[in-house]
Amino acid sequence: MRLDRSSGVPLHVQIRERIRLGIAQGTWAVGDTLPSEEDLCARLGVSRGTVRQALGRLTQEGLLVRHRHKGTIVARGVESQGLIFVSPYRAIQAAGMQPRVAVLARALRPTPRRVAAAWNSRGRSARVRLSPAVYFDRVFSANGE
């Protein structure tokens, strides 16, 4: 796991999303134990508080379970259907900053087949057809930057 220290996304958010991605991609399966806090701190070059913040949030979400002397265990899988979405807006909020979104462009295009299949496979009441879908070009800012 490499962290981008110049991205503006807080390190604990990057760690949290990398762990979530690892679970979604099968790096860790349900029942697997994650590396220890000490190991993650050493690998990532961050403080224990940063790692704890990331693991704590994933525990609150029910993705992980933490046991003293046993470690951090994957409690459930990420239901991604091949799609992984990390919200920049929520990442900015989680960092305690004020998010803002500017829409640069909007267009109707056909819905990608895998998006429609993922949506329809989750038992939604409205079935998604292959077209149209709304695409946005957006710019996110945090605290006006």
Side-chain angles (χ1 to χ4, degrees), residues 16-48:
R16 184 179 77 221
E17 295 310 316
R18 295 254 171 25
I19 291 171
R20 187 188 320 276
L21 181 63
I23 294 168
Q25 292 179 335
T27 302
W28 298 292
V30 173
D32 285 353
T33 303
L34 266 57
S36 69
E37 284 182 6
E38 283 182 4
D39 189 30
L40 288 170
C41 291
R43 285 186 200 184
L44 300 170
V46 297
S47 71
R48 181 169 246 161

Side-chain angles (χ1 to χ4, degrees), residues 25-80:
Q25 292 179 335
T27 302
W28 298 292
V30 173
D32 285 353
T33 303
L34 266 57
S36 69
E37 284 182 6
E38 283 182 4
D39 189 30
L40 288 170
C41 291
R43 285 186 200 184
L44 300 170
V46 297
S47 71
R48 181 169 246 161
T50 301
V51 169
R52 281 190 177 158
Q53 195 170 4
L55 296 176
R57 182 65 181 266
L58 292 169
T59 301
Q60 287 175 344
E61 294 174 12
L63 204 59
L64 303 176
V65 175
R66 304 184 79 196
H67 297 284
R68 181 171 280 179
H69 305 298
K70 291 183 181 178
T72 303
I73 300 166
V74 178
R76 65 176 175 83
V78 175
E79 297 176 13
S80 66

